[in-house]
Amino acid sequence: MEKFEGYIFTALCSTNFLVSCLLFSKITREQREPYMDEIFHVRQAQKYCYGKFNEWDPMITTLPGLYLASVGVIKPVVWLVDLTGKVVCSTAMLRFINLLFNCGILYLLYLIICKLHLKEKTKTASRRVLSALSLSTFPVLYFFNFLYYTDAGSTFFILFTYLMTLYGCHKASALISVFAIFFRQTNIIWVVFCASTLVANKMDETWRTEQSKKKDDKSPCQIPFSVSGVKRVMRFLLEFLTTANHVKAVMLVAWPYILIAVGFIAFIVLNDGIVVGDRSSHEACLNFPQLFYFFSFALFFSIPTSLCYHRALRFLQTLKKQPLLYLLITGLCLLLVWKFTFVHKYLLADNRHFPFYVWKRIFQKHEVVRFALIPAYVFAAWNFMDTLKSRSLFWSLAFLVCLLAATVPQKLLEFRYFIVPYLLYRLHMPLPSLTRLVLEFLFYTAVNAATLYIFINKTFQWPNSPAVQRFMW
């Protein structure tokens, strides 16, 4: 890091923390008591604070990473400053843990951007800093920095795991991934993604060697959409995965992640499933439209950095060149939407969440709407892949497989589940121009201001309950 860039980044970190603290103070004054899922998280964390590690709330479905981390931070502070009374492990003190995670997320984002865009280092200092700051204010993640949820800690440890993978510190990466899994079990998918990037790198090297021998001018970064191209890639994958030397080379590098995966499989067997606590509301299914919702979500939040006139024009040209391919894709999407759309009972019943209104005012308007949106899904998916075309073919395949695993089994449409895949997507896009980054930051700031204003000021009550209700992600 250049000295000047270091000063700028430090100043932005301090400013970001100060602004977050002011917002935290305002939100905590307005909502002093635990709200929604905080009721279970706060209660469980307080049990841990009082040393009751053998008591567990059956309504909690994640492992105790959040509570262990909270106690690990709070107890030494309490001992150092000699705090006593209700302030110890209070709702406000527990929530503040997530502000600390937010500071760490900002720093990790910056380091990952520097590593991923190393070739552009000499001319993009301001863009790297602004990109990290902008992503740290990503609206869905930023909102939950002020409540006692698992999202901030989960995202922090996944980003930390990936950073260590990028630097080749695979033992450290695997160790950190254990903390990520303790925050949310589904993070095992992104641990697998970290290991898959190593496999993808080996595949890239082998592919390049083979193509150079054949004097083929096609780059492994280019995804071959033709039937012959797909056959060639499938043949290569099969040959690579069945060659002892290749498998051995991968295992020598990825063995720490393999140990984590084996340990996680053992946990699933012993636990009789991935969910702890209440399993009735977290049943897996093949909800393929979740992938379409994610592509739409990614398009919406990346509009300032990914969408432009030339890209839209290129999409129309692609449609013109390959109409049969896109007709086939559209037909497949129709089938998936028709046969594999699932609606969770919480999505229809809980009017405190934004997805409730998305579903009610768009998808429930008419039965035809969910099919009419398919052209938009196709464009969103094409835009997603087009922005990642600078990445290698095998990296893209690894990311897509992990994205499928992270989204499709989820029955509930919950924007929080999209945080990690979106950040990874945005981090791997080519570094946007300064103008686009400013637009992205302003866009995120506007969305954050709107959601926090609605949460604080637009309260309501249910007919049969005196409790104050608030809108949130």
Side-chain angles (χ1 to χ4, degrees):
M1 186 192 295
E2 298 293 335
K3 187 177 288 187
F4 177 72
E5 185 177 351
Y7 291 146
I8 295 296
F9 183 73
T10 303
L12 283 176
C13 285
S14 302
T15 304
N16 177 68
F17 183 66
L18 176 60
V19 172
S20 296
C21 285
L22 293 173
L23 291 172
F24 175 83
S25 177
K26 174 65 176 175
I27 291 167
T28 302
R29 283 199 305 270
E30 294 293 332
Q31 182 63 46
R32 294 182 181 276
E33 298 301 316
Y35 183 65
M36 289 195 65
D37 288 359
E38 277 191 312
I39 294 171
F40 310 113
H41 293 312
V42 168
R43 189 164 58 204
Q44 187 62 48
Q46 288 174 343
K47 288 179 181 178
Y48 276 35
C49 276
Y50 301 140
K52 299 177 182 178
F53 293 100
N54 60 336
E55 294 185 18
W56 184 258
D57 191 326
M59 292 302 294
I60 296 172
T61 58
T62 54
L63 292 170
L66 177 63
Y67 323 124
L68 292 171
S70 301
V71 172
V73 172
I74 289 172
K75 283 295 184 179
V77 173
V78 168
W79 179 76
L80 285 171
V81 298
D82 197 25
L83 285 175
T84 56
K86 292 183 178 180
V87 70
V88 177
C89 285
S90 63
T91 302
M93 182 173 278
L94 290 169
R95 286 173 178 172
F96 192 77
I97 298 296
N98 282 339
L99 280 194
L100 301 180
F101 278 128
N102 175 249
C103 294
I105 287 170
L106 173 56
Y107 189 53
L108 289 172
L109 287 168
Y110 175 77
L111 294 177
I112 292 172
I113 288 168
C114 288
K115 184 65 176 176
L116 290 175
H117 303 282
L118 190 62
K119 294 179 181 178
E120 307 166 71
K121 191 171 183 180
T122 56
K123 54 184 179 181
T124 57
S126 57
R127 288 157 62 191
R128 289 196 302 272
V129 171
L130 184 55
S131 190
L133 178 65
S134 180
L135 286 179
S136 72
T137 63
F138 175 57
V140 183
L141 174 62
Y142 191 71
F143 178 86
F144 288 100
N145 290 331
F146 305 106
L147 298 177
Y148 193 58
Y149 275 64
T150 59
D151 299 273
S154 170
T155 304
F156 172 84
F157 283 110
I158 281 296
L159 291 176
F160 201 176
T161 298
Y162 189 50
L163 179 67
M164 291 296 100
T165 301
L166 291 175
Y167 276 95
C169 304
H170 302 302
K171 294 176 187 176
S173 179
L175 180 61
I176 294 165
S177 73
V178 175
F179 293 96
I181 293 167
F182 261 75
F183 269 76
R184 190 173 289 169
Q185 295 94 300
T186 52
N187 281 339
I188 186 64
I189 295 167
W190 301 113
V191 177
V192 171
F193 167 72
C194 291
S196 299
T197 60
L198 305 181
V199 181
N201 289 337
K202 293 290 183 182
M203 286 182 172
D204 288 339
E205 293 172 9
T206 308
W207 176 273
R208 289 192 193 96
T209 303
E210 289 188 4
Q211 299 314 307
S212 62
K213 287 178 182 178
K214 296 174 183 178
K215 297 182 179 180
D216 196 324
D217 61 350
K218 288 189 179 293
S219 166
C221 295
Q222 295 175 331
I223 299 178
F225 281 109
S226 65
V227 175
S228 61
V230 172
K231 285 182 178 178
R232 187 174 57 168
V233 171
M234 293 300 293
R235 195 181 306 117
F236 170 80
L237 286 172
L238 184 62
E239 183 181 336
F240 184 93
L241 295 173
T242 53
T243 302
N245 288 337
H246 291 153
V247 174
K248 182 181 178 181
V250 168
M251 292 188 71
L252 285 174
V253 179
W255 67 265
Y257 305 101
I258 295 172
L259 288 179
I260 299 300
V262 170
F264 190 78
I265 292 169
F267 158 74
I268 291 176
V269 172
L270 293 172
N271 187 56
D272 194 25
I274 193 172
V275 177
V276 298
D278 180 25
R279 302 184 183 191
S280 61
S281 301
H282 294 81
E283 297 174 351
C285 63
L286 291 177
N287 192 2
F288 284 104
Q290 282 278 27
L291 188 62
F292 306 149
Y293 308 149
F294 172 76
F295 286 140
S296 304
F297 175 91
L299 177 63
F300 176 78
F301 281 106
S302 69
I303 281 176
T305 53
S306 73
L307 201 59
C308 64
Y309 168 77
H310 297 292
R311 179 163 280 137
L313 185 61
R314 194 160 64 251
F315 174 69
L316 294 175
Q317 291 170 345
T318 305
L319 285 179
K320 189 176 179 180
K321 288 179 182 178
Q322 298 175 306
L324 291 178
L325 174 63
Y326 283 92
L327 193 62
L328 181 63
I329 291 172
T330 303
L332 178 61
C333 292
L334 281 166
L335 177 65
L336 294 177
V337 169
W338 178 35
K339 290 294 185 180
F340 295 95
T341 296
F342 294 90
V343 185
H344 199 285
K345 59 184 179 181
Y346 288 172
L347 181 62
L348 300 176
D350 197 336
N351 65 343
R352 295 170 294 182
H353 288 289
F354 295 152
F356 170 89
Y357 297 96
V358 171
W359 195 264
K360 181 180 179 181
R361 296 179 181 179
I362 298 177
F363 292 93
Q364 285 189 316
K365 280 292 183 182
H366 196 278
E367 184 69 20
V368 177
V369 170
R370 59 186 178 133
F371 300 105
L373 289 172
I374 287 174
Y377 296 154
V378 173
F379 173 70
W382 180 89
N383 184 75
F384 183 88
M385 294 307 303
D386 192 64
T387 50
L388 293 177
K389 65 183 180 182
S390 61
R391 298 294 156 185
S392 77
L393 166 63
F394 302 110
W395 184 95
S396 300
L397 286 174
F399 185 53
L400 285 176
V401 169
C402 292
L403 179 60
L404 276 167
T407 56
V408 169
Q410 302 284 356
K411 189 174 183 179
L412 177 63
L413 174 57
E414 173 66 84
F415 294 148
R416 292 190 298 135
Y417 300 155
F418 297 159
I419 292 172
V420 171
Y422 178 80
L423 289 178
L424 289 174
Y425 159 65
R426 173 62 183 76
L427 284 166
H428 286 88
M429 285 171 52
L431 208 56
S433 67
L434 194 59
T435 303
R436 284 183 171 272
L437 287 169
V438 170
L439 288 174
E440 180 187 52
F441 178 70
L442 292 175
F443 175 47
Y444 286 178
T445 302
V447 175
N448 283 327
T451 51
L452 292 175
Y453 174 81
I454 290 170
F455 180 80
I456 293 170
N457 296 296
K458 300 296 180 180
T459 59
F460 65 101
Q461 287 181 296
W462 286 337
N464 301 321
S465 173
V468 173
Q469 307 298 337
R470 301 178 187 273
F471 297 106
M472 58 187 291
W473 285 107

